[in-house]
Amino acid sequence: TDAEVNTRKKTFTEVQTERSEQAERTVLIKCPPKLNEKKLLQYLSSHGNIESHFFFENRGIHAVIEFSEKNSIASLQDAIGIPSSAEHHVVPFKSRLFTFTLKNPVSQAAEETPVHLSPQSHIPVKELIQKLCDADSISSQMYLLLNEYQLTEENIKLRFLACSLVRDFARAYFPDSTVKPFGSSVNTFGKLGCDVDMFLDFHDIRKHGTKMKKGPFEMEYQMKRLPSERLATQKILSVIGDCLDNFGPGCVGIQKILNARCPLVKFSHQPTGFQCDLSVSNSIAIKSSELLYIYGCLDSRVRALVFSVRCWARIHGLTNSVPGTWITNFSLTMMVMFFLQKRSPPIIPTLDQLKELADEKDKHVIGGYDCSFVSDLSKIKPTKNTETLDVLLGDFFEYFGNFDFRKNSINLRKGREINKPESSPLYIWNPFEQDLNISKNVNQPQLEKFVAMARESAWILQKEDKTQQVINKEPWGLAALLIPFGKSNPSKMKNRMKGLGSETIRSLLDSLKLNNATSLQKAAGK
């Protein structure tokens, strides 16, 4: 659609700014069970024009209302009372989370109208596989999976609202701070149900630059000094964590993880239903989000391939929601990007090519690392590559099933294999912090399991007789790859394990047994 093309061409920063501003004009209302939508909107409109709204279910029906003007919220807040309750004493923090109940429920309940609820989670894998079997090509299977799993417009609005509500707390201490989402919530690769990574930022740089140059004095604030930036970060997060814990409506399960490489506060935000991770500004993480955003916008095959590969990896226990020696989703996404850079002709440009297109405003050096790349999507030439996703999916598994991981590392700056600088089993260069390996956590058995699964998948796709499988009502194409292997015929699997170390095979088969049980439970529970 035209509207989609227009939103697609905006720069990352424009989209972020627009959505943050939208979130500031938004409130979240827990609605009465017997709801008349028209009456609700009619009442709210008396406080100002409503720009957009939607409903979702999360222990009751909630309405997300975006006003056209920020001051409509103040007008509504003037009309809202403090909860009266004999057995509790409330913390009098006034947020943009409200509960509406009917004054005389009996007469009004008769006027209940069914409301359209926006889904905030994706369908279970079993249902997905059913749907995939009815598609007409692997390519349409992959777009179908993308459509089921990707973040919806409503879900993205809810993510920005969660950040905006946390920002209201941070501003009690730091009036010009902002809280912004990064990572999968904004890089176009997030799936419904993923956590919200948010960071706290104190420097509103735009305001400053020009004003400081005027006048005869060097002027600065008197501020408390601490021996390191890390200590300051820990103190700030600790206090804001306590604040959310003590006063934040609907913020539960606060965990402060202040000794991590990147200190953070984890909490569950019940009103929106998100699990949130709050850290302090990390400019490089934002640059990574923007880079993926650009790749995701350049060609529709990019996201379709990433979503399919990630879903495949999750089902076979190659990735895991808890940290460990598994490949992370970020590493996996970078492997897909690298594969697409290596096609002939390439489907996406290398980071060095994006850097060459950068102009003055795109120049960013962060902590000594050059993070410059073009932000304007229209400056990037579209690819001449016309390969179908059917081909790309098979070739992805083929490529990494036969990749020389012992010798080579994956470098997205250059878009080619480079000799490994050190001996980690899997070495993927951090695109910006050039001396870091983003997959340092991955051990040899996990890498070999990935290789084995990739080979198995390439083999299944090559050997497949689609017509026969459709007649037999068997899963085919992508659907056949989303069922734990070794289920149908374990002996076939063993033949293709030749050339892998015997202890690796043993650990593989053990983890397969484990995984079949756990991944089925997870798939059912997800």
Side-chain angles (χ1 to χ4, degrees):
T1 62
D2 284 346
E4 212 168 332
V5 171
N6 289 338
T7 54
R8 270 288 164 252
K9 283 300 173 202
K10 286 179 188 148
T11 69
F12 178 75
T13 315
E14 284 165 358
V15 175
Q16 302 316 295
T17 308
E18 191 175 303
R19 288 199 181 277
S20 299
E21 196 270 319
Q22 237 174 11
E24 289 187 23
R25 295 183 271 106
T26 302
V27 300
L28 180 56
I29 300 170
K30 191 172 175 19
C31 300
K34 307 280 189 192
L35 178 66
N36 180 313
E37 179 176 353
K38 200 170 159 196
K39 279 215 157 130
L40 176 71
L41 296 174
Q42 215 168 353
Y43 169 70
L44 291 168
S45 298
S46 68
H47 293 282
N49 187 45
I50 296 174
E51 188 75 27
S52 76
H53 75 284
F54 64 90
F55 296 92
F56 69 98
E57 217 287 326
N58 169 27
R59 289 179 284 187
I61 289 181
H62 297 257
V64 174
I65 309 286
E66 180 201 334
F67 286 103
S68 306
E69 303 287 335
K70 209 171 160 178
N71 55 18
S72 306
I73 295 180
S75 159
L76 176 58
Q77 279 172 322
D78 282 345
I80 287 181
I82 304 278
S84 54
S85 153
E87 66 273 20
H88 297 284
H89 188 76
V90 296
V91 175
F93 179 83
K94 294 176 180 166
S95 70
R96 287 175 283 145
L97 299 165
F98 314 128
T99 302
F100 283 24
T101 43
L102 298 172
K103 282 181 180 164
N104 38 1
V106 185
S107 64
Q108 285 180 270
E111 303 173 6
E112 181 184 2
T113 54
V115 294
H116 168 71
L117 299 172
S118 302
Q120 303 301 318
S121 60
H122 60 75
I123 60 173
V125 174
K126 273 196 168 140
E127 270 178 54
L128 176 71
I129 290 173
Q130 296 275 272
K131 281 192 165 186
L132 295 181
C133 291
D134 298 335
D136 58 0
S137 67
I138 289 181
S139 180
S140 28
Q141 285 182 328
M142 291 168 73
Y143 282 120
L144 207 144
L145 181 142
L146 174 65
N147 281 321
E148 290 294 342
Y149 273 40
Q150 68 183 347
L151 302 184
T152 60
E153 180 62 25
E154 291 78 18
N155 189 267
I156 295 171
K157 284 183 171 173
L158 211 47
R159 287 168 186 272
F160 275 85
L161 178 60
C163 293
S164 180
L165 293 167
V166 172
R167 184 215 64 178
D168 290 349
F169 266 96
R171 288 204 169 166
Y173 295 96
F174 307 104
D176 52 0
S177 60
T178 55
V179 174
K180 301 177 186 147
F182 70 96
S184 55
S185 296
V186 297
N187 65 18
T188 74
F189 293 98
K191 73 166 187 178
L192 285 171
C194 69
D195 294 356
V196 180
D197 294 305
M198 42 176 86
F199 74 93
L200 191 55
D201 205 359
F202 306 103
H203 342 276
D204 207 0
I205 302 180
R206 290 159 310 201
K207 289 186 182 150
H208 257 74
T210 48
K211 290 183 187 162
M212 285 178 68
K213 296 195 180 72
K214 293 183 179 144
F217 299 107
E218 286 290 344
M219 302 176 290
E220 60 184 29
Y221 286 105
Q222 293 180 19
M223 288 178 167
K224 201 172 187 75
R225 291 173 191 271
L226 291 170
S228 72
E229 183 182 10
R230 182 174 173 81
L231 190 62
T233 296
Q234 289 169 326
K235 282 182 184 284
I236 290 165
L237 283 175
S238 181
V239 170
I240 289 186
D242 286 340
C243 192
L244 290 169
D245 198 4
N246 291 313
F247 311 140
C251 295
V252 297
I254 316 265
Q255 289 170 283
K256 297 196 240 176
I257 306 169
L258 301 179
N259 290 322
R261 192 175 78 90
C262 176
L264 78 157
V265 173
K266 287 175 103 62
F267 63 97
S268 170
H269 189 257
Q270 285 180 323
T272 56
F274 292 125
Q275 185 60 44
C276 303
D277 285 359
L278 175 68
S279 50
V280 167
S281 175
N282 172 350
S283 318
I284 288 190
I286 306 300
K287 281 308 214 187
S288 300
S289 305
E290 179 173 4
L291 179 65
L292 284 175
Y293 171 87
I294 287 175
Y295 283 147
C297 290
L298 283 179
D299 190 292
S300 64
R301 291 169 293 181
V302 176
R303 294 173 63 237
L305 186 56
V306 168
F307 274 76
S308 291
V309 169
R310 290 216 285 207
C311 184
W312 165 85
R314 187 83 184 85
I315 280 169
H316 297 296
L318 298 171
T319 54
N320 201 301
S321 50
V322 291
T325 55
W326 297 273
I327 295 177
T328 62
N329 269 326
F330 183 57
S331 293
L332 205 52
T333 305
M334 288 307 190
M335 288 167 89
V336 176
M337 296 306 147
F338 183 72
F339 166 75
L340 295 172
Q341 290 175 339
K342 297 272 302 170
R343 299 313 281 173
S344 174
I347 292 180
I348 55 174
T350 66
L351 186 47
D352 278 348
Q353 289 166 335
L354 292 178
K355 185 179 156 182
E356 277 169 24
L357 295 169
D359 58 20
E360 270 316 298
K361 69 173 187 331
D362 295 327
K363 297 264 188 287
H364 293 280
V365 176
I366 301 167
Y369 297 106
D370 189 343
C371 301
S372 313
F373 56 86
V374 66
S375 58
D376 178 352
L377 290 161
S378 61
K379 290 187 180 160
I380 305 167
K381 284 197 181 70
T383 175
K384 299 247 188 321
N385 180 306
T386 57
E387 292 173 297
T388 64
L389 280 167
D390 305 49
V391 170
L392 293 171
L393 184 66
D395 282 6
F396 174 84
F397 293 127
E398 180 87 7
Y399 179 74
F400 282 113
N402 297 299
F403 189 90
D404 188 352
F405 286 108
R406 270 178 311 223
K407 180 169 148 270
N408 289 329
S409 66
I410 290 170
N411 186 311
L412 281 98
R413 277 207 161 262
K414 309 262 174 274
R416 57 186 162 83
E417 301 97 343
I418 291 181
N419 282 351
K420 275 205 279 201
E422 48 99 352
S423 64
S424 301
L426 173 61
Y427 197 105
I428 303 173
W429 296 69
N430 182 313
F432 302 115
E433 295 172 88
Q434 285 285 287
D435 41 11
L436 291 183
N437 169 12
I438 63 173
S439 49
K440 201 175 176 57
N441 63 307
V442 179
N443 64 13
Q444 193 61 34
Q446 285 299 325
L447 178 62
E448 295 199 12
K449 187 176 160 186
F450 170 79
V451 169
M453 293 297 182
R455 288 180 187 174
E456 176 72 0
S457 302
W459 190 87
I460 287 174
L461 290 175
Q462 278 159 19
K463 287 281 167 287
E464 157 165 287
D465 174 2
K466 181 188 157 191
T467 332
Q468 201 47 52
Q469 281 164 301
V470 172
I471 294 169
N472 296 350
K473 297 259 185 285
E474 289 171 31
W476 62 277
L478 179 58
L481 304 184
L482 299 185
I483 295 166
F485 301 148
K487 270 263 171 288
S488 50
N489 184 349
S491 63
K492 279 201 311 208
M493 185 77 173
K494 286 190 182 133
N495 301 337
R496 288 185 298 284
M497 295 296 195
K498 292 195 177 98
L500 294 173
S502 61
E503 79 282 8
T504 303
I505 290 193
R506 219 166 302 138
S507 74
L508 258 174
L509 292 171
D510 287 345
S511 64
L512 267 178
K513 281 177 203 144
L514 274 172
N515 272 321
N516 282 341
T518 55
S519 64
L520 279 173
Q521 283 167 351
K522 285 205 175 122
K526 265 284 170 211

